[in-house]
Amino acid sequence: MRQWTCRPFAASVEEGGRANEHRVHKYAGGERVVAAIDLLNDGSRPAFLMHALLVERGATGELAQVGKHVDTDTPIYLVEFAGGRVVGCLEDEIAPV
């Protein structure tokens, strides 16, 4: 299951007197994107079967929020697709329109 927080990204943050490098996100909130691949349920959507198709490749949506995976510092993009379906996506799963 993906765990993420909605914190702003920064190039570096001081923690305990030392610089901690963070990944800078590629996309910004409000940006239009397209699903680069079929987006399947990874188990984070319990209302859907595991591996069920959530969004088809080529579907467009709008970035609602940008967060990050707390363990890996990986950007997670909450994208609202047609019908109000919101899906958490990785950078390689979406592309700019």
Side-chain angles (χ1 to χ4, degrees), residues 61-76:
E62 183 177 325
L63 275 166
Q65 237 175 358
V66 181
K68 72 173 183 175
H69 186 281
V70 294
D71 293 331
T72 64
D73 200 33
T74 304
I76 304 291

Side-chain angles (χ1 to χ4, degrees), residues 14-70:
E14 290 293 322
E15 290 183 7
R18 61 187 165 98
N20 183 16
E21 294 297 319
H22 290 284
R23 287 187 55 179
V24 176
H25 56 278
K26 188 174 182 179
Y27 305 105
E31 192 170 344
R32 300 283 300 162
V33 294
V34 62
I37 60 171
D38 286 341
L39 300 174
L40 307 178
N41 185 19
D42 63 359
S44 60
R45 301 289 300 267
F48 295 90
L49 293 174
M50 185 70 157
H51 306 295
L53 179 66
L54 299 176
V55 176
E56 287 186 3
R57 179 179 186 243
T60 58
E62 183 177 325
L63 275 166
Q65 237 175 358
V66 181
K68 72 173 183 175
H69 186 281
V70 294

